[in-house]
Amino acid sequence: MRIMLLSFQPVLERIAEEMGDLAGRGRPADYIPALAAGDPDRFGMAVAELDGSVYGVGEWQQPFSTQSVTKVFTLALALAHEGDTLWEHVGREPSGNPFNSLVQLEYENGIPRNPFINAGALVVTDRLHGLTGNASGSLLDLLRAESGNADLDFDRDVAASETAHGDRNAALAHFMASYRNISTPVPTLLREYFRQCSIEASCADLALATGFLARHGIRADGSRLLTRSQAKQVNAVMLTCGTYDAAGDFAYRVGLPGKSGVGGGIIAVVPGRCTLCVWSPGLDARGNSVAGVAALDRFTTITGLSVF
């Protein structure tokens, strides 16, 4: 990893200073006991350019629980393996409901609205596991390779905590299995899903790992993971569905494809230019980092970088 303190660094320092004065930073995800002790005052932010140059501020090298941020990478791997067949099993529309809702599944015959709500992510993990035999391991290999950090790993305590409090996800998986939209045995699927969500990584790691989406599908080593069209698809779904049922507000404020997680992380993509990751554990009522959204809002306002 090549770390440089050039053009983006003054922008990040200005944002960090402003975030220090931010009031009402939200609350950590207390429904997952292993995350409940998160400090909303903690903050880190990193930007990675296409060549691997990285800029950071605050706790940008501090590992945190990635949670739903990893759904982007699982989606990319599933698309790379099976292409458009994936979309027969999961939709591409915003849900308008909480990320762990059961409501839509029944009247939509077990087909989740998008890959980033929990039901959709379970389907994508199921597809990837069927294709590779090891969904969580394939995901970890991708993150290690793209970030350049071979030490990335699962957090067993977080995975165990989620397993012990995973009844809603189990219900989602069993319900979709009843519609034959899940083929992996549900206990195995839940293990793979919770392992996926438990991966710890820093803002620097995730900004680098997301780079293939800014490079239109090209990995850090120059090989192609996704076609240009597939990379566009992932970015589009991130923009419309990546921040739970607050995606419209995120697009309005930030103007970038993004994906949040209840660990307090958010990744974002400026296609053809750079990728970002911000982390602060305090969440709003919809599960998005309060300081993270505010920081990305300031970044696009200051730099003028957005997809609009």
Side-chain angles (χ1 to χ4, degrees):
M1 180 175 69
R2 188 155 57 93
I3 300 172
M4 301 181 67
L5 304 177
L6 295 175
S7 57
F8 281 121
Q9 194 63 34
V11 174
L12 296 181
E13 290 173 358
R14 177 177 169 184
I15 291 170
E17 184 176 352
E18 293 179 8
M19 293 306 104
D21 297 328
L22 183 68
R25 285 174 167 261
R27 300 176 58 185
D30 53 8
Y31 70 94
I32 300 174
L35 302 181
D39 182 356
D41 289 330
R42 301 184 75 177
F43 176 82
M45 188 172 185
V47 179
E49 294 190 304
L50 302 188
D51 65 356
S53 302
V54 188
Y55 314 82
V57 71
E59 297 183 75
W60 63 295
Q61 294 177 299
Q62 171 64 44
F64 62 89
S65 187
T66 55
Q67 294 296 311
S68 290
V69 170
T70 58
K71 293 173 182 176
V72 169
F73 304 95
T74 308
L75 173 61
L77 284 169
L79 266 179
H81 277 86
E82 68 171 344
D84 285 348
T85 302
L86 176 67
W87 301 120
E88 297 174 9
H89 301 272
V90 62
R92 301 184 294 271
E93 295 293 335
S95 68
N97 283 308
F99 59 86
N100 59 355
S101 174
L102 283 154
V103 173
Q104 289 172 327
L105 279 176
E106 184 165 13
Y107 63 80
E108 293 183 346
N109 300 316
I111 305 294
R113 276 287 180 97
N114 67 70
F116 296 147
I117 55 175
N118 286 17
L122 285 163
V123 167
V124 174
T125 299
D126 171 66
R127 302 299 299 172
L128 182 62
H129 194 70
L131 291 160
T132 66
N134 186 359
S136 60
S138 299
L139 169 65
L140 185 60
D141 288 345
L142 176 67
L143 290 173
R144 285 174 171 174
E146 296 308 292
S147 68
N149 183 357
D151 293 328
L152 294 185
D153 210 344
F154 308 108
D155 185 320
R156 291 179 175 82
D157 290 339
V158 171
S161 181
E162 295 199 58
T163 299
H165 297 82
D167 292 338
R168 178 66 66 93
N169 286 311
L172 291 166
H174 281 294
F175 191 83
M176 291 185 293
S178 75
Y179 282 94
R180 299 184 179 180
N181 199 26
I182 293 290
S183 57
T184 306
V186 170
T188 301
L189 174 60
L190 293 174
R191 182 198 68 208
E192 292 296 298
Y193 178 71
F194 293 138
R195 279 165 61 84
Q196 161 188 317
C197 293
S198 78
I199 292 172
E200 282 200 324
S202 69
C203 290
D205 295 326
L206 290 172
L208 285 165
T210 311
F212 68 92
L213 291 174
R215 292 188 293 267
H216 308 295
I218 301 296
R219 297 183 59 165
D221 65 2
S223 64
R224 182 169 287 281
L225 176 65
L226 300 175
T227 67
R228 191 179 184 98
S229 178
Q230 288 171 332
K232 179 192 71 175
Q233 291 171 7
V234 175
N235 281 328
V237 178
M238 287 172 68
L239 181 67
T240 58
C241 308
T243 47
Y244 310 121
D245 54 333
D249 186 63
F250 186 84
Y252 174 83
R253 291 182 61 185
V254 176
L256 293 175
K259 181 71 194 85
S260 61
V262 296
I266 307 175
I267 57 173
V269 181
V270 185
R273 183 67 176 88
C274 65
T275 49
L276 304 96
C277 180
V278 61
W279 169 64
S280 185
L283 310 180
D284 61 22
R286 291 171 171 175
N288 299 309
S289 171
V290 174
V293 174
L296 291 170
D297 183 356
R298 291 300 296 144
F299 178 85
T300 54
T301 299
I302 293 168
T303 64
L305 293 172
S306 83
V307 297
F308 301 111

